[in-house]
Amino acid sequence: MKCFEFLLPQRENKPRKKGCTMVLDKGLGFETAKSLMEIMEEYVDFLKFGWGTIIVHDKEIIERKVEMYKSFDIIPYTGGTLFEIAYINNKIPEFFKEVTSIGFEAIEISDGSTDMTEEEKVDYIKEAKEKGFYVLSEVGKKDPEADAGITVDKRIELINAELKDGSDKVIIEAREGGKNIGIYDEKGTAKEEEVDYLLKNIPEEKIIWEAPNKDQQIYFVLKLGKEVNLGNISTKDITSLETIRRGLKGDTIYKV
Amino acid sequence: MKCFEFLLPQRENKPRKKGCTMVLDKGLGFETAKSLMEIMEEYVDFLKFGWGTIIVHDKEIIERKVEMYKSFDIIPYTGGTLFEIAYINNKIPEFFKEVTSIGFEAIEISDGSTDMTEEEKVDYIKEAKEKGFYVLSEVGKKDPEADAGITVDKRIELINAELKDGSDKVIIEAREGGKNIGIYDEKGTAKEEEVDYLLKNIPEEKIIWEAPNKDQQIYFVLKLGKEVNLGNISTKDITSLETIRRGLKGDTIYKV
Amino acid sequence: MKCFEFLLPQRENKPRKKGCTMVLDKGLGFETAKSLMEIMEEYVDFLKFGWGTIIVHDKEIIERKVEMYKSFDIIPYTGGTLFEIAYINNKIPEFFKEVTSIGFEAIEISDGSTDMTEEEKVDYIKEAKEKGFYVLSEVGKKDPEADAGITVDKRIELINAELKDGSDKVIIEAREGGKNIGIYDEKGTAKEEEVDYLLKNIPEEKIIWEAPNKDQQIYFVLKLGKEVNLGNISTKDITSLETIRRGLKGDTIYKV
């Protein structure tokens, strides 16, 4: 039972088709992560082990973290940069083997830091689906200049191709910082026209918008409603985002 | 016994009449919060469960957190937005009942997000006092434009009316961010003249200045001394603030 | 064994002569700190108890933290401001006694907040070395104006004198914020010419560059390689820095 249950606006429960929250774990200790999930489990759908972080961590502790997240019905998955590092090193078969051995059932496939071709990327998406993985793919480049070179029409084409070839969700890149990248300008403000154009051409429920900053979270909840999919949420902002979604914070009270 | 006790400048101990620190809990896990209080209990007077956060949490875990904070002689209390959400939903009687059932002995009453009248607000303050609660009331609006519409004289009138009608402390709104709100300009710098004018007309020891940013904390400690009441302190800044108060950090060394 | 060990670029292991990471503890709870070290122990060489923080904490809990850090082969040490506070209070003998009694085997000696003379400072460095301490000394002033008054040539002279008189490492001041101080301009960008000039005149492996912000960490890793010594790393950024060093994050992939 919730505190003040009579004041809690309802929304979709887990497992959700929409209104998903994807949280970024940048290397939390096991006990700290567990303590956090005990209070917030219902509000975390996906848990990304950020970029190549787990490469520097002991396998034993990552296995424990993966198992712990799964025990809270959260889908833990490997960051896209990890996949790209395997790609660069020609270790994709070893990557799939290790991912499975650790206990992951979901992975992200991205090409933000490499020159992987579109064809290669969709082939990997197909391969991962065939192996039974839940696949999140990411569209966008980590380098702002390279990212700026992708037109909105190209972005739409890529997203739809990846969805068609098996991606369960497509992530719109914004990195940890959320500035001067993808749909955000140098101040981190969403480019309204670009967002609208994307929305006209791609199925909203399949998209996870990376929105690391509070103002970006408020923007998307006010624009698309409480059931918008948001990602790269900091572990310290999980509760805050849930209150923004439900109109329990000054910024969205009366407005959702 | 303290480390380097011979270097520790003294100040008021708990329970303090002044020099209070009010900390903002935005949804910490139980174990993490407990671990923090074990090292900092002496420096936390009030612990606010931020805005409507506890509405999304399980009653059982909030009860445990409330009890834990009380075991460290900290006064846990409910954020003002929670009260306002109850007000909007016409659930004030249920609010009082639930607050008591969880174990809270202190509450905040605010009108930052609603159009509650001044009369209603002071009536609620009186009602809460009659029910035996320690009452913190907050003056200011969450929306910067609406907040800017309150003159300093009006602010003083409201503060004094609320104190007269029973508020134990009045909080000067600055939100989590501390910018472009209340006494802070868009850079988060305190408006000196406004602060001075407030101080001439309200009893300093009854005021808690929200000062979420380090520079704001330094400003108030240098201006009003180590026994100033400060609020909306992040859980990660509790130790830092205590060292600022006592001149144990570069910023205030030799100066307090 | 690491996760994805076949993707892990090697670098120096602990105890390292270079490539050291110095982390800033601003007052973590015992359990939280322990949980963090369990996952990151290999990547932390030095752990600084920030400024005068431990003065406000119980001796018992600091003793436990010191012992815990040492159990992970991390060198915990006292912040320079603590030494300066002892100096101001004419309590240097008591300082050395207390430091030993708590279990510290390393200390920082700085003069960032006091007007200690150069002669006094090097005498203290010698005294600490005679007592068997590992000594880190810091060059720079906490106050940006005072700090700006130290020319690069003077900085070099001071650093070399302190190394000659026994300092094991010299720290280049940047505070917690890393802006408008030492080698950083008001935006926190490193002054390239000044860094180059310093490097020509001081032994790189003896220097710890305070680099609290991610962009500063990337700057130094790209400029000086993965085995650069970096300090004032936030406890939340330890994993991130290690991935930056090893080219496992978008910013340095392909580049180290």
Side-chain angles (χ1 to χ4, degrees):
Chain A
M1 203 179 61
K2 298 294 168 216
C3 274
F4 299 89
E5 187 137 315
F6 52 95
L7 297 177
L8 184 69
Q10 293 306 302
R11 75 174 193 96
E12 296 269 327
N13 288 322
K14 292 208 302 187
R16 297 176 184 91
K17 290 268 183 236
K18 52 185 186 166
C20 293
T21 294
M22 178 266 274
V23 169
L24 178 62
D25 179 340
K26 302 194 278 179
L28 290 182
F30 177 82
E31 294 299 339
T32 300
K34 187 169 168 237
S35 171
L36 208 59
M37 292 308 125
E38 277 167 1
I39 195 166
M40 294 172 190
E41 54 172 315
E42 292 166 79
Y43 310 120
V44 182
D45 301 272
F46 298 99
L47 191 296
K48 174 163 68 180
F49 283 83
W51 61 96
T53 53
I54 61 176
I55 301 175
V56 302
H57 290 152
D58 282 348
K59 187 165 176 174
E60 181 276 329
I61 207 166
I62 299 300
E63 285 172 345
R64 270 199 292 144
K65 285 180 74 175
V66 165
E67 195 185 344
M68 180 270 291
Y69 286 127
K70 285 160 82 172
S71 76
F72 289 112
D73 291 321
I74 292 163
I75 301 174
Y77 73 93
T78 53
T81 300
L82 174 59
F83 179 84
E84 295 185 60
I85 292 166
Y87 169 82
I88 292 168
N89 288 276
N90 287 312
K91 300 277 189 194
I92 297 291
E94 293 84 348
F95 166 84
F96 279 119
K97 209 174 139 191
E98 185 80 344
V99 153
T100 302
S101 129
I102 294 166
F104 285 106
E105 293 165 26
I107 63 169
E108 179 180 319
I109 293 179
S110 64
D111 60 346
S113 301
T114 58
D115 50 6
M116 193 185 299
T117 66
E118 293 169 40
E119 291 69 31
E120 284 178 300
K121 193 177 176 193
V122 295
D123 283 348
Y124 288 129
I125 291 170
K126 283 181 199 166
E127 184 180 348
K129 287 306 296 178
E130 277 159 21
K131 287 182 195 297
F133 287 101
Y134 186 100
V135 176
L136 302 102
S137 67
E138 187 176 57
V139 170
K141 294 289 182 186
K142 301 276 180 205
D143 177 60
E145 265 186 63
D147 191 72
I150 313 174
T151 66
V152 191
D153 284 314
K154 185 68 193 174
R155 239 175 257 269
I156 289 166
E157 180 196 323
L158 293 168
I159 293 168
N160 285 319
E162 292 176 14
L163 288 171
K164 180 172 157 290
D165 284 310
S167 288
D168 295 282
K169 299 276 185 203
V170 174
I171 299 165
I172 310 293
E173 170 77 86
R175 303 205 65 189
E176 265 180 278
K179 289 181 183 173
N180 197 22
I181 190 92
I183 53 165
Y184 300 111
D185 68 18
E186 56 290 330
K187 288 185 175 172
T189 307
K191 300 173 195 162
E192 184 90 20
E193 277 183 43
E194 192 160 329
V195 172
D196 286 334
Y197 191 69
L198 282 169
L199 283 166
K200 261 186 226 153
N201 292 284
I202 47 176
E204 190 193 323
E205 73 281 5
K206 293 285 190 184
I207 298 300
I208 298 179
W209 307 91
E210 289 191 347
N213 304 323
K214 188 184 123 180
D215 288 346
Q216 296 167 345
Q217 296 158 19
I218 294 168
Y219 169 82
F220 274 110
V221 168
L222 291 181
K223 183 174 182 72
L224 300 175
K226 62 187 171 187
E227 303 294 7
V228 63
N229 299 320
L230 296 175
N232 273 20
I233 305 304
S234 161
T235 47
K236 67 178 180 13
D237 293 334
I238 303 168
T239 294
S240 173
L241 172 58
E242 193 62 27
T243 62
I244 288 169
R245 287 186 186 278
R246 300 195 195 224
L248 301 174
K249 193 169 186 180
D251 310 279
T252 57
I253 214 168
Y254 282 126
K255 296 178 185 163
V256 283
Chain B
M1 203 179 60
K2 298 294 168 216
C3 275
F4 300 88
E5 186 137 316
F6 53 95
L7 297 178
L8 184 68
Q10 292 307 300
R11 74 174 193 96
E12 297 268 328
N13 288 323
K14 291 209 301 188
R16 297 176 184 90
K17 290 269 181 234
K18 52 185 186 166
C20 294
T21 294
M22 177 266 273
V23 169
L24 179 63
D25 179 340
K26 303 193 277 179
L28 291 182
F30 178 83
E31 294 299 339
T32 301
K34 186 168 169 239
S35 170
L36 210 57
M37 292 307 125
E38 277 166 0
I39 195 165
M40 294 170 190
E41 53 173 316
E42 292 167 79
Y43 310 121
V44 181
D45 301 272
F46 298 99
L47 191 295
K48 174 163 69 181
F49 283 83
W51 61 95
T53 53
I54 61 177
I55 302 175
V56 302
H57 290 150
D58 282 349
K59 188 165 177 175
E60 181 276 328
I61 208 166
I62 299 300
E63 285 172 343
R64 271 199 291 144
K65 284 179 75 175
V66 165
E67 195 186 344
M68 181 271 292
Y69 285 128
K70 285 161 81 172
S71 77
F72 288 113
D73 291 320
I74 292 163
I75 300 174
Y77 74 93
T78 52
T81 299
L82 174 58
F83 179 84
E84 295 185 60
I85 292 166
Y87 169 82
I88 291 168
N89 288 278
N90 288 312
K91 300 276 190 194
I92 297 290
E94 293 84 350
F95 166 84
F96 279 118
K97 207 174 140 194
E98 185 81 344
V99 153
T100 303
S101 129
I102 295 166
F104 284 105
E105 294 164 27
I107 62 167
E108 179 180 318
I109 293 179
S110 65
D111 61 346
S113 301
T114 57
D115 51 6
M116 194 184 300
T117 66
E118 292 169 41
E119 291 69 31
E120 284 180 299
K121 193 177 176 193
V122 295
D123 283 348
Y124 288 128
I125 292 170
K126 285 181 197 165
E127 183 180 348
K129 287 306 296 178
E130 277 159 22
K131 287 182 195 297
F133 286 102
Y134 186 100
V135 176
L136 301 102
S137 67
E138 188 176 57
V139 170
K141 294 289 181 186
K142 300 277 179 205
D143 177 60
E145 265 186 64
D147 190 73
I150 313 174
T151 65
V152 191
D153 285 314
K154 185 68 192 172
R155 238 175 259 269
I156 289 166
E157 181 197 322
L158 293 168
I159 293 168
N160 285 319
E162 292 175 15
L163 288 171
K164 180 172 157 288
D165 283 310
S167 288
D168 294 282
K169 299 275 186 204
V170 174
I171 299 165
I172 310 292
E173 171 77 87
R175 306 206 64 189
E176 265 181 280
K179 288 182 184 173
N180 197 20
I181 189 95
I183 53 164
Y184 300 111
D185 67 18
E186 57 290 329
K187 287 185 176 172
T189 307
K191 299 173 195 163
E192 183 91 19
E193 278 183 41
E194 192 161 328
V195 172
D196 286 334
Y197 190 69
L198 283 170
L199 283 166
K200 262 187 223 151
N201 293 284
I202 47 176
E204 190 192 323
E205 72 280 6
K206 294 285 189 183
I207 299 299
I208 298 178
W209 307 91
E210 289 190 348
N213 304 324
K214 187 184 124 179
D215 287 346
Q216 296 167 345
Q217 295 158 19
I218 293 168
Y219 169 82
F220 275 110
V221 168
L222 292 180
K223 182 175 183 71
L224 299 175
K226 62 187 169 186
E227 303 294 7
V228 64
N229 299 319
L230 295 175
N232 273 19
I233 305 304
S234 161
T235 47
K236 67 178 181 13
D237 293 333
I238 303 168
T239 294
S240 174
L241 172 57
E242 193 62 26
T243 61
I244 289 169
R245 287 186 185 279
R246 300 196 195 222
L248 301 174
K249 192 167 187 181
D251 311 278
T252 58
I253 213 168
Y254 283 127
K255 294 178 187 164
V256 283
Chain C
M1 201 180 62
K2 299 293 168 218
C3 274
F4 300 89
E5 185 136 318
F6 52 95
L7 297 177
L8 184 68
Q10 292 306 301
R11 73 174 194 96
E12 296 269 328
N13 288 322
K14 292 209 302 188
R16 297 176 183 91
K17 290 267 181 238
K18 52 184 187 169
C20 293
T21 295
M22 178 265 274
V23 169
L24 179 63
D25 179 340
K26 302 193 277 178
L28 291 182
F30 178 83
E31 295 300 339
T32 300
K34 187 169 168 237
S35 170
L36 208 57
M37 292 309 126
E38 277 166 0
I39 195 165
M40 294 171 189
E41 54 173 317
E42 292 166 79
Y43 311 120
V44 181
D45 300 272
F46 298 99
L47 191 296
K48 175 163 68 181
F49 284 80
W51 61 96
T53 52
I54 61 176
I55 302 175
V56 303
H57 289 150
D58 282 349
K59 187 164 177 176
E60 181 276 328
I61 208 166
I62 299 300
E63 285 171 344
R64 270 199 292 144
K65 285 180 74 175
V66 166
E67 195 185 345
M68 179 270 291
Y69 285 127
K70 285 161 82 172
S71 76
F72 288 113
D73 290 322
I74 291 163
I75 300 174
Y77 73 93
T78 52
T81 299
L82 174 57
F83 179 85
E84 295 186 60
I85 292 166
Y87 169 82
I88 293 168
N89 287 278
N90 288 311
K91 300 278 189 192
I92 297 290
E94 292 84 350
F95 166 84
F96 278 119
K97 209 175 139 192
E98 185 80 346
V99 153
T100 303
S101 130
I102 294 166
F104 284 106
E105 294 165 27
I107 62 169
E108 180 181 317
I109 293 179
S110 64
D111 61 346
S113 301
T114 58
D115 50 6
M116 194 185 299
T117 66
E118 292 169 39
E119 291 70 31
E120 284 179 300
K121 193 175 177 195
V122 295
D123 282 348
Y124 288 129
I125 292 170
K126 284 180 198 166
E127 184 181 347
K129 286 307 296 179
E130 277 159 21
K131 288 183 194 296
F133 286 101
Y134 186 100
V135 176
L136 302 101
S137 67
E138 188 176 57
V139 170
K141 294 289 180 187
K142 301 276 179 204
D143 177 59
E145 265 187 63
D147 191 73
I150 313 175
T151 65
V152 190
D153 285 313
K154 185 67 193 175
R155 238 175 257 270
I156 289 166
E157 181 197 321
L158 292 168
I159 292 168
N160 285 320
E162 293 176 14
L163 288 171
K164 180 172 156 289
D165 284 310
S167 287
D168 294 283
K169 298 276 186 203
V170 174
I171 299 165
I172 310 293
E173 171 77 86
R175 305 206 62 190
E176 265 181 279
K179 288 181 183 173
N180 198 21
I181 189 93
I183 53 165
Y184 299 112
D185 67 18
E186 57 290 329
K187 288 186 176 171
T189 307
K191 299 172 196 164
E192 183 92 19
E193 277 184 42
E194 192 161 329
V195 172
D196 286 334
Y197 191 69
L198 283 170
L199 283 166
K200 262 186 223 150
N201 292 283
I202 46 175
E204 190 193 321
E205 72 280 5
K206 293 285 189 184
I207 299 300
I208 298 179
W209 307 90
E210 289 192 348
N213 304 322
K214 187 184 125 181
D215 287 346
Q216 296 167 344
Q217 296 158 18
I218 294 167
Y219 169 82
F220 275 110
V221 168
L222 292 180
K223 182 173 183 73
L224 300 175
K226 62 185 170 188
E227 303 294 7
V228 64
N229 299 320
L230 295 176
N232 273 18
I233 305 305
S234 162
T235 47
K236 67 179 180 14
D237 293 334
I238 303 168
T239 294
S240 174
L241 172 57
E242 193 62 26
T243 61
I244 288 169
R245 287 186 185 278
R246 299 196 195 224
L248 301 174
K249 193 167 186 180
D251 311 278
T252 58
I253 212 168
Y254 283 127
K255 294 178 186 164
V256 283

mmCIF file of all heavy atoms in Angstrom, chain A residues 168-194:
data_model
loop_
_atom_site.group_PDB
_atom_site.id
_atom_site.type_symbol
_atom_site.label_atom_id
_atom_site.label_comp_id
_atom_site.label_asym_id
_atom_site.label_seq_id
_atom_site.Cartn_x
_atom_site.Cartn_y
_atom_site.Cartn_z
ATOM 1 N N ASP A 168 13.211 -3.705 -30.397
ATOM 2 C CA ASP A 168 12.013 -3.574 -29.572
ATOM 3 C C ASP A 168 11.754 -2.125 -29.201
ATOM 4 O O ASP A 168 10.601 -1.696 -29.077
ATOM 5 C CB ASP A 168 12.170 -4.445 -28.322
ATOM 6 C CG ASP A 168 12.224 -5.922 -28.680
ATOM 7 O OD1 ASP A 168 11.145 -6.477 -28.945
ATOM 8 O OD2 ASP A 168 13.330 -6.497 -28.757
ATOM 9 N N LYS A 169 12.825 -1.390 -28.980
ATOM 10 C CA LYS A 169 12.730 0.049 -28.707
ATOM 11 C C LYS A 169 13.894 0.724 -29.416
ATOM 12 O O LYS A 169 14.982 0.143 -29.541
ATOM 13 C CB LYS A 169 12.875 0.359 -27.201
ATOM 14 C CG LYS A 169 11.831 -0.261 -26.292
ATOM 15 C CD LYS A 169 10.553 0.573 -26.209
ATOM 16 C CE LYS A 169 9.605 -0.039 -25.177
ATOM 17 N NZ LYS A 169 8.212 0.333 -25.416
ATOM 18 N N VAL A 170 13.655 1.953 -29.862
ATOM 19 C CA VAL A 170 14.757 2.754 -30.393
ATOM 20 C C VAL A 170 14.979 3.942 -29.463
ATOM 21 O O VAL A 170 14.024 4.606 -29.051
ATOM 22 C CB VAL A 170 14.492 3.229 -31.831
ATOM 23 C CG1 VAL A 170 15.592 4.186 -32.292
ATOM 24 C CG2 VAL A 170 14.435 2.037 -32.783
ATOM 25 N N ILE A 171 16.238 4.172 -29.156
ATOM 26 C CA ILE A 171 16.617 5.238 -28.232
ATOM 27 C C ILE A 171 17.141 6.423 -29.014
ATOM 28 O O ILE A 171 17.962 6.264 -29.919
ATOM 29 C CB ILE A 171 17.703 4.723 -27.267
ATOM 30 C CG1 ILE A 171 17.161 3.543 -26.442
ATOM 31 C CG2 ILE A 171 18.204 5.832 -26.354
ATOM 32 C CD1 ILE A 171 18.239 2.743 -25.740
ATOM 33 N N ILE A 172 16.672 7.626 -28.656
ATOM 34 C CA ILE A 172 17.168 8.841 -29.300
ATOM 35 C C ILE A 172 18.297 9.392 -28.432
ATOM 36 O O ILE A 172 18.085 9.851 -27.313
ATOM 37 C CB ILE A 172 16.051 9.901 -29.434
ATOM 38 C CG1 ILE A 172 14.788 9.302 -30.069
ATOM 39 C CG2 ILE A 172 16.551 11.120 -30.201
ATOM 40 C CD1 ILE A 172 14.916 8.893 -31.505
ATOM 41 N N GLU A 173 19.492 9.360 -28.978
ATOM 42 C CA GLU A 173 20.724 9.720 -28.261
ATOM 43 C C GLU A 173 20.688 11.128 -27.656
ATOM 44 O O GLU A 173 20.310 12.087 -28.319
ATOM 45 C CB GLU A 173 21.899 9.636 -29.250
ATOM 46 C CG GLU A 173 23.228 10.188 -28.769
ATOM 47 C CD GLU A 173 23.929 9.242 -27.811
ATOM 48 O OE1 GLU A 173 24.652 8.350 -28.280
ATOM 49 O OE2 GLU A 173 23.738 9.420 -26.595
ATOM 50 N N ALA A 174 21.104 11.240 -26.382
ATOM 51 C CA ALA A 174 21.343 12.559 -25.787
ATOM 52 C C ALA A 174 22.524 12.527 -24.814
ATOM 53 O O ALA A 174 22.826 13.529 -24.196
ATOM 54 C CB ALA A 174 20.099 13.044 -25.056
ATOM 55 N N ARG A 175 23.160 11.365 -24.711
ATOM 56 C CA ARG A 175 24.285 11.173 -23.786
ATOM 57 C C ARG A 175 23.873 11.472 -22.328
ATOM 58 O O ARG A 175 22.711 11.587 -22.005
ATOM 59 C CB ARG A 175 25.503 12.010 -24.214
ATOM 60 C CG ARG A 175 25.936 11.668 -25.674
ATOM 61 C CD ARG A 175 27.387 11.963 -25.910
ATOM 62 N NE ARG A 175 28.214 11.093 -25.082
ATOM 63 C CZ ARG A 175 29.529 11.222 -24.944
ATOM 64 N NH1 ARG A 175 30.155 12.190 -25.586
ATOM 65 N NH2 ARG A 175 30.206 10.405 -24.187
ATOM 66 N N GLU A 176 24.900 11.517 -21.444
ATOM 67 C CA GLU A 176 24.644 11.809 -20.043
ATOM 68 C C GLU A 176 24.275 13.276 -19.840
ATOM 69 O O GLU A 176 23.590 13.638 -18.905
ATOM 70 C CB GLU A 176 25.944 11.662 -19.247
ATOM 71 C CG GLU A 176 26.254 10.410 -18.562
ATOM 72 C CD GLU A 176 27.607 10.613 -17.888
ATOM 73 O OE1 GLU A 176 28.620 10.462 -18.605
ATOM 74 O OE2 GLU A 176 27.631 10.930 -16.699
ATOM 75 N N GLY A 177 24.812 14.131 -20.726
ATOM 76 C CA GLY A 177 24.707 15.571 -20.509
ATOM 77 C C GLY A 177 23.455 16.199 -21.091
ATOM 78 O O GLY A 177 22.889 17.141 -20.539
ATOM 79 N N GLY A 178 23.013 15.678 -22.242
ATOM 80 C CA GLY A 178 21.789 16.190 -22.844
ATOM 81 C C GLY A 178 21.908 17.561 -23.486
ATOM 82 O O GLY A 178 20.924 18.273 -23.629
ATOM 83 N N LYS A 179 23.127 17.952 -23.864
ATOM 84 C CA LYS A 179 23.279 19.263 -24.493
ATOM 85 C C LYS A 179 23.953 19.130 -25.839
ATOM 86 O O LYS A 179 24.922 18.383 -25.991
ATOM 87 C CB LYS A 179 24.106 20.194 -23.592
ATOM 88 C CG LYS A 179 23.315 20.610 -22.368
ATOM 89 C CD LYS A 179 24.088 21.545 -21.468
ATOM 90 C CE LYS A 179 23.226 21.829 -20.223
ATOM 91 N NZ LYS A 179 23.962 22.598 -19.222
ATOM 92 N N ASN A 180 23.473 19.932 -26.825
ATOM 93 C CA ASN A 180 24.103 19.998 -28.134
ATOM 94 C C ASN A 180 24.214 18.630 -28.786
ATOM 95 O O ASN A 180 25.246 18.271 -29.338
ATOM 96 C CB ASN A 180 25.501 20.638 -27.985
ATOM 97 C CG ASN A 180 26.047 21.120 -29.319
ATOM 98 O OD1 ASN A 180 25.280 21.351 -30.261
ATOM 99 N ND2 ASN A 180 27.352 21.246 -29.412
ATOM 100 N N ILE A 181 23.146 17.877 -28.709
ATOM 101 C CA ILE A 181 23.177 16.512 -29.234
ATOM 102 C C ILE A 181 21.740 16.096 -29.560
ATOM 103 O O ILE A 181 20.813 16.417 -28.818
ATOM 104 C CB ILE A 181 23.828 15.550 -28.200
ATOM 105 C CG1 ILE A 181 24.110 14.157 -28.765
ATOM 106 C CG2 ILE A 181 23.007 15.415 -26.928
ATOM 107 C CD1 ILE A 181 25.478 14.016 -29.327
ATOM 108 N N GLY A 182 21.596 15.429 -30.713
ATOM 109 C CA GLY A 182 20.282 14.925 -31.111
ATOM 110 C C GLY A 182 19.254 16.025 -31.163
ATOM 111 O O GLY A 182 19.428 17.039 -31.838
ATOM 112 N N ILE A 183 18.169 15.857 -30.419
ATOM 113 C CA ILE A 183 17.059 16.817 -30.460
ATOM 114 C C ILE A 183 17.272 18.004 -29.529
ATOM 115 O O ILE A 183 16.400 18.860 -29.410
ATOM 116 C CB ILE A 183 15.744 16.116 -30.067
ATOM 117 C CG1 ILE A 183 15.940 15.407 -28.720
ATOM 118 C CG2 ILE A 183 15.296 15.140 -31.134
ATOM 119 C CD1 ILE A 183 14.660 14.994 -28.057
ATOM 120 N N TYR A 184 18.416 18.068 -28.852
ATOM 121 C CA TYR A 184 18.647 19.166 -27.905
ATOM 122 C C TYR A 184 19.665 20.169 -28.431
ATOM 123 O O TYR A 184 20.687 19.794 -29.008
ATOM 124 C CB TYR A 184 19.145 18.621 -26.560
ATOM 125 C CG TYR A 184 18.158 17.675 -25.909
ATOM 126 C CD1 TYR A 184 18.441 16.319 -25.791
ATOM 127 C CD2 TYR A 184 16.937 18.138 -25.436
ATOM 128 C CE1 TYR A 184 17.531 15.439 -25.211
ATOM 129 C CE2 TYR A 184 16.022 17.271 -24.852
ATOM 130 C CZ TYR A 184 16.327 15.909 -24.743
ATOM 131 O OH TYR A 184 15.424 15.061 -24.179
ATOM 132 N N ASP A 185 19.396 21.462 -28.196
ATOM 133 C CA ASP A 185 20.365 22.485 -28.581
ATOM 134 C C ASP A 185 21.446 22.621 -27.503
ATOM 135 O O ASP A 185 21.483 21.856 -26.548
ATOM 136 C CB ASP A 185 19.661 23.816 -28.884
ATOM 137 C CG ASP A 185 19.039 24.455 -27.642
ATOM 138 O OD1 ASP A 185 19.424 24.085 -26.513
ATOM 139 O OD2 ASP A 185 18.172 25.315 -27.805
ATOM 140 N N GLU A 186 22.325 23.619 -27.681
ATOM 141 C CA GLU A 186 23.483 23.717 -26.779
ATOM 142 C C GLU A 186 23.093 24.027 -25.325
ATOM 143 O O GLU A 186 23.876 23.816 -24.412
ATOM 144 C CB GLU A 186 24.536 24.718 -27.301
ATOM 145 C CG GLU A 186 24.052 26.125 -27.560
ATOM 146 C CD GLU A 186 23.111 26.200 -28.778
ATOM 147 O OE1 GLU A 186 23.254 25.390 -29.717
ATOM 148 O OE2 GLU A 186 22.206 27.059 -28.746
ATOM 149 N N LYS A 187 21.860 24.504 -25.133
ATOM 150 C CA LYS A 187 21.407 24.737 -23.761
ATOM 151 C C LYS A 187 20.633 23.536 -23.200
ATOM 152 O O LYS A 187 20.155 23.562 -22.071
ATOM 153 C CB LYS A 187 20.500 25.973 -23.704
ATOM 154 C CG LYS A 187 21.264 27.267 -23.895
ATOM 155 C CD LYS A 187 20.350 28.466 -23.704
ATOM 156 C CE LYS A 187 21.161 29.756 -23.768
ATOM 157 N NZ LYS A 187 20.277 30.949 -23.774
ATOM 158 N N GLY A 188 20.450 22.517 -24.035
ATOM 159 C CA GLY A 188 19.709 21.356 -23.578
ATOM 160 C C GLY A 188 18.205 21.488 -23.814
ATOM 161 O O GLY A 188 17.429 20.662 -23.344
ATOM 162 N N THR A 189 17.804 22.520 -24.550
ATOM 163 C CA THR A 189 16.382 22.706 -24.856
ATOM 164 C C THR A 189 16.006 21.860 -26.070
ATOM 165 O O THR A 189 16.745 21.823 -27.053
ATOM 166 C CB THR A 189 16.098 24.199 -25.174
ATOM 167 O OG1 THR A 189 16.596 24.988 -24.085
ATOM 168 C CG2 THR A 189 14.614 24.456 -25.347
ATOM 169 N N ALA A 190 14.852 21.194 -25.988
ATOM 170 C CA ALA A 190 14.422 20.361 -27.106
ATOM 171 C C ALA A 190 14.040 21.238 -28.294
ATOM 172 O O ALA A 190 13.455 22.305 -28.130
ATOM 173 C CB ALA A 190 13.234 19.501 -26.687
ATOM 174 N N LYS A 191 14.404 20.778 -29.483
ATOM 175 C CA LYS A 191 14.035 21.497 -30.705
ATOM 176 C C LYS A 191 12.639 21.041 -31.097
ATOM 177 O O LYS A 191 12.449 19.971 -31.679
ATOM 178 C CB LYS A 191 15.038 21.186 -31.814
ATOM 179 C CG LYS A 191 16.473 21.593 -31.482
ATOM 180 C CD LYS A 191 17.424 21.084 -32.570
ATOM 181 C CE LYS A 191 18.864 21.142 -32.119
ATOM 182 N NZ LYS A 191 19.747 20.295 -32.947
ATOM 183 N N GLU A 192 11.670 21.881 -30.773
ATOM 184 C CA GLU A 192 10.263 21.533 -30.910
ATOM 185 C C GLU A 192 9.887 21.018 -32.304
ATOM 186 O O GLU A 192 9.228 19.985 -32.444
ATOM 187 C CB GLU A 192 9.410 22.775 -30.574
ATOM 188 C CG GLU A 192 7.919 22.559 -30.587
ATOM 189 C CD GLU A 192 7.373 22.133 -29.232
ATOM 190 O OE1 GLU A 192 8.048 22.358 -28.205
ATOM 191 O OE2 GLU A 192 6.267 21.557 -29.187
ATOM 192 N N GLU A 193 10.314 21.741 -33.324
ATOM 193 C CA GLU A 193 9.938 21.345 -34.692
ATOM 194 C C GLU A 193 10.472 19.956 -35.044
ATOM 195 O O GLU A 193 9.796 19.160 -35.694
ATOM 196 C CB GLU A 193 10.509 22.339 -35.711
ATOM 197 C CG GLU A 193 9.641 23.560 -35.865
ATOM 198 C CD GLU A 193 10.203 24.483 -36.942
ATOM 199 O OE1 GLU A 193 10.617 23.981 -38.016
ATOM 200 O OE2 GLU A 193 10.244 25.707 -36.699
ATOM 201 N N GLU A 194 11.701 19.696 -34.601
ATOM 202 C CA GLU A 194 12.319 18.413 -34.916
ATOM 203 C C GLU A 194 11.585 17.273 -34.192
ATOM 204 O O GLU A 194 11.341 16.205 -34.756
ATOM 205 C CB GLU A 194 13.796 18.456 -34.512
ATOM 206 C CG GLU A 194 14.575 17.298 -35.065
ATOM 207 C CD GLU A 194 16.077 17.557 -35.093
ATOM 208 O OE1 GLU A 194 16.498 18.721 -35.261
ATOM 209 O OE2 GLU A 194 16.826 16.571 -34.941
#
